[in-house]
Amino acid sequence: MQDVFSEFAILLFVSSLIGMLAVRLKQPLIVGFIAVGILLGPSVTGLVTANDQIDLLAKLGISLLLFIVGLKLDLNIIRTMGPVALATGVGQVLFTSVFGYLIAWALGFSAIESLYIAVALTFSSTIIIVKLLSDKREVDALHGRIAVGFLIVQDILVIVAMIALNALNETERSNTLASQALYIVLYALIFVAVIALLMRYVLSGLLDVMARSKELLVLFSIAWAVTLGALGSYLGFSKEVGAFLAGVSLASTPYREVIAARLSSLRDFLLLFFFVDLGASLNLAAMSDQVFSAIVFSLFVIVGNPLIVMVIMGLMGYRKRTGFLAGLTVAQISEFSLILAALGISLGHLDQTVLGLITLVGLITISASTYMILYSHHLYRVLQPFLNVFEREYAFRENLAETTHIIERYDCLIFGLGRFGRTISIALKERGFNILGVDFDPDMIHRMSDLGIDARYGDAEDTEFIEGLNLASIKWIVVATHDKHVNQAISQSLKKAGYQGQLALTAHSAVSGEPCFYRGDELMIIPHEYAAERAAEYISQQSVLNNNERSSALNG
């Protein structure tokens, strides 16, 4: 019998190999990781048996997943997109849940099983969709903004669904339904009220202190997510709800982008164990019995969800192209669907058969929709003649959206707001540039705000943070630090993000700046040399002036 460390070594190594294969086949890693669980679990080889340890890491991964979803909950996206995000998000959820329930009932599932299946089919993967849209650089396109808007609506609704299912479980255990419901509502109000008070009076100042150290900020964020997750579980809301509210509580702080970027890799690593655990727990025999049902539900999700989105958006005055591209983003079920099914098993509402069905639907729809989104424009060109029914004669809403959508644009982005960066920012602002400063020191952020210059808390070496910025309108990026490694990291991140503007790097000397070139046409700023040249120029000018004055005095 092998020890736990050896089992984890096998698990990680096999996950790396199958993950590499999934990437080569352009499949989401989720599919590969579930396959790892099936391969190493009791259904096939049985090489990994450390179930308790894997379950713990899986729970941490789920908590961080929901924490980051809450952290990125930007209600401004919903407000700026107007009613379309709410109408499309709620409309698609209602359509899918109602017809999904009827299909499940017609296939012979019980009422509670049909309810879980219907709810599981309604939600799309925010993580997968945003990742695919980002890879295609379509997040800021109109259909991308609409998709992100209704995905946020879905994320809110899935949390409500989790609360409702936990409440249903508690009321089933209680003889007094009304009193149990009252307790749940009371606990929820107290929980939210305490978090709101902490947001108002404690968290902002506390994060200012924590943010002085990158490691401490990450540690506190994880501790906050896990602590509220544990408290939510204790109060009966589940750890998922508590972790989500932990993220929401930090969403209004200037540190949310950095926290999300720094925790993303850890989240993805820990979620590996959730999907491996999920795959290992699958009963392949039970899944084989559900192939027909899985195909029916998959076709319903792949075809039905995009259709209802196109119908709603067409009625609201959007073009058929926008409706089609946005509709493709809901042609799969979410990792939340699998989490919801796992929650149903833990509550005693479902058995492994339904979990196997939902997982099989997830494997089919996630794989299919990945290709659909990657080749969305090719699909649109083929299907365009058949989509006229989804467009009004005059797409008034889209014309309005294109003219009124405003993204805050900056001319110049400056990394590093120390003395040198601050001086450059002030000088450029006086010359009419719209400046955005980025620094990891909260004091620098406040100081720039006092000077009337926009500044954001962020890490210049964080690739995900840089990729999340709107670089399209930025003409100049100035790296006002002297660190060669920072210069190299930013250069590589900008190259990956496809930045087309000008780049200015700062170095102690020309030699130290040489390896940092991004395209070869960067401006290399060497402050000490520039200062020496300006000082020499000033001294020379003053000397000429003084000599002229002396000559004039002698001649006079």
Side-chain angles (χ1 to χ4, degrees):
M1 180 177 178
Q2 57 199 11
D3 59 72
V4 174
F5 187 84
S6 299
E7 288 189 13
F8 271 79
I10 294 172
L11 189 154
L12 294 175
F13 185 74
V14 174
S15 298
S16 300
L17 294 179
I18 294 187
M20 179 179 64
L21 179 62
V23 170
R24 293 281 293 179
L25 296 176
K26 296 184 178 180
Q27 290 297 310
L29 288 175
I30 290 174
V31 178
F33 294 156
I34 294 176
V36 172
I38 295 173
L39 177 63
L40 299 182
S43 296
V44 183
T45 63
L47 290 176
V48 175
T49 59
N51 298 324
D52 292 340
Q53 292 86 348
I54 292 176
D55 182 63
L56 174 60
L57 293 173
K59 289 178 178 177
L60 289 174
I62 294 170
S63 296
L64 284 186
L65 170 67
L66 285 147
F67 173 72
I68 293 175
V69 169
L71 199 64
K72 293 185 175 183
L73 184 62
D74 188 359
L75 297 179
N76 288 327
I77 294 177
I78 298 177
R79 284 199 297 267
T80 54
M81 289 318 304
V84 63
L86 289 172
T88 309
V90 175
Q92 180 264 315
V93 167
L94 289 176
F95 169 84
T96 307
S97 58
V98 171
F99 284 92
Y101 181 88
L102 294 176
I103 293 173
W105 181 77
L107 289 173
F109 291 93
S110 67
I112 189 67
E113 290 174 340
S114 297
L115 176 62
Y116 269 94
I117 292 171
V119 173
L121 296 179
T122 59
F123 304 112
S124 305
S125 176
T126 302
I127 295 173
I128 293 175
I129 299 309
V130 172
K131 180 67 169 61
L132 291 172
L133 291 176
S134 298
D135 291 344
K136 295 183 67 179
R137 308 202 184 284
E138 294 181 357
V139 172
D140 287 329
L142 180 59
H143 68 274
R145 300 196 306 269
I146 293 173
V148 171
F150 61 64
L151 286 172
I152 288 177
V153 173
Q154 286 188 2
D155 289 339
I156 295 173
L157 293 177
V158 75
I159 297 300
V160 174
M162 287 182 179
I163 294 175
L165 290 171
N166 276 279
L168 176 63
N169 181 66
E170 292 298 326
T171 53
E172 286 177 349
R173 296 177 181 178
S174 175
N175 294 325
T176 55
L177 176 63
S179 63
Q180 187 63 38
L182 182 61
Y183 277 122
I184 291 174
V185 172
L186 181 61
Y187 288 151
L189 291 175
I190 294 174
F191 194 47
V192 172
V194 170
I195 293 175
L197 289 173
L198 291 173
M199 291 171 61
R200 178 68 178 85
Y201 298 106
V202 177
L203 288 177
S204 181
L206 185 62
L207 283 178
D208 285 343
V209 176
M210 297 289 182
R212 299 179 191 279
S213 168
K214 301 177 184 179
E215 294 79 6
L216 189 58
L217 181 63
V218 171
L219 175 60
F220 172 76
S221 302
I222 297 172
W224 184 243
V226 174
T227 300
L228 287 197
L231 187 57
S233 179
Y234 176 77
L235 295 175
F237 309 128
S238 83
K239 60 184 176 298
E240 291 85 4
V241 174
F244 173 79
L245 292 176
V248 173
S249 68
L250 304 184
S252 59
T253 68
Y255 311 107
R256 70 174 191 169
E257 290 93 350
V258 171
I259 294 173
R262 290 205 163 256
L263 291 183
S264 294
S265 297
L266 178 60
R267 173 206 62 196
D268 295 340
F269 174 71
L270 291 175
L271 281 177
L272 155 70
F273 298 99
F274 169 75
F275 294 112
V276 167
D277 187 43
L278 187 61
S281 64
L282 293 179
N283 186 330
L284 294 183
M287 286 180 64
S288 63
D289 296 336
Q290 300 295 330
V291 172
F292 175 75
S293 297
I295 293 174
V296 172
F297 286 123
S298 298
L299 289 174
F300 171 64
V301 171
I302 292 171
V303 178
N305 282 358
L307 282 178
I308 189 60
V309 169
M310 285 189 285
V311 168
I312 294 173
M313 292 184 63
L315 291 174
M316 296 186 69
Y318 287 89
R319 297 189 183 100
K320 59 184 180 181
R321 180 180 182 276
T322 304
F324 177 80
L325 296 177
L328 290 184
T329 63
V330 294
Q332 90 289 117
I333 65 174
S334 169
E335 62 276 2
F336 282 124
S337 303
L338 306 180
I339 294 172
L340 197 67
L343 176 64
I345 290 178
S346 67
L347 296 177
H349 295 160
L350 302 178
D351 57 22
Q352 291 292 335
T353 301
V354 177
L355 176 60
L357 169 64
I358 294 174
T359 304
L360 191 54
V361 173
L363 292 173
I364 295 171
T365 57
I366 289 173
S367 301
S369 67
T370 298
Y371 288 105
M372 292 166 65
I373 294 172
L374 288 175
Y375 299 101
S376 58
H377 298 283
H378 300 284
L379 279 174
Y380 176 74
R381 283 195 289 271
V382 173
L383 299 175
Q384 182 180 2
F386 309 101
L387 301 178
N388 292 330
V389 67
F390 298 106
E391 180 177 290
R392 286 190 174 188
E393 185 176 349
Y394 174 62
F396 65 92
R397 181 81 63 176
E398 182 158 339
N399 294 334
L400 179 64
E402 293 293 356
T403 56
T404 59
H405 174 64
I406 299 174
I407 299 177
E408 189 156 19
R409 298 181 181 274
Y410 298 95
D411 304 311
C412 185
L413 179 63
I414 297 180
F415 286 99
L417 301 176
R419 184 182 302 173
F420 183 58
R422 190 165 62 252
T423 302
I424 292 178
S425 300
I426 295 172
L428 290 175
K429 182 176 177 60
E430 291 174 350
R431 288 163 173 78
F433 282 81
N434 191 13
I435 305 297
L436 174 64
V438 178
D439 201 285
F440 209 93
D441 187 345
D443 291 337
M444 296 297 182
I445 305 299
H446 296 315
R447 191 175 301 177
M448 296 299 287
S449 298
D450 293 339
L451 294 172
I453 297 176
D454 291 343
R456 181 180 298 181
Y457 181 88
D459 186 358
E461 297 182 75
D462 195 320
T463 301
E464 291 196 19
F465 173 77
I466 292 177
E467 290 179 352
L469 296 172
N470 178 27
L471 300 176
S473 65
I474 296 177
K475 301 173 184 176
W476 274 96
I477 292 180
V478 180
V479 184
T481 66
H482 301 80
D483 192 324
K484 179 175 69 176
H485 300 293
V486 173
N487 286 341
Q488 291 173 335
I490 290 180
S491 298
Q492 293 169 1
S493 298
L494 292 176
K495 185 175 183 179
K496 183 178 179 182
Y499 174 63
Q500 299 298 317
Q502 298 296 311
L503 175 64
L505 302 171
T506 306
H508 286 293
S509 64
V511 174
S512 65
E514 284 179 1
C516 305
F517 288 160
Y518 166 45
R519 290 190 304 259
D521 60 349
E522 296 81 4
L523 170 64
M524 186 60 63
I525 303 174
I526 306 173
H528 299 300
E529 293 185 7
Y530 286 3
E533 291 175 1
R534 290 292 302 274
E537 181 181 351
Y538 177 78
I539 292 171
S540 299
Q541 291 175 349
Q542 291 299 317
S543 298
V544 171
L545 290 174
N546 291 336
N547 291 334
N548 290 338
E549 290 175 359
R550 292 193 187 97
S551 299
S552 299
L554 291 173
N555 293 331

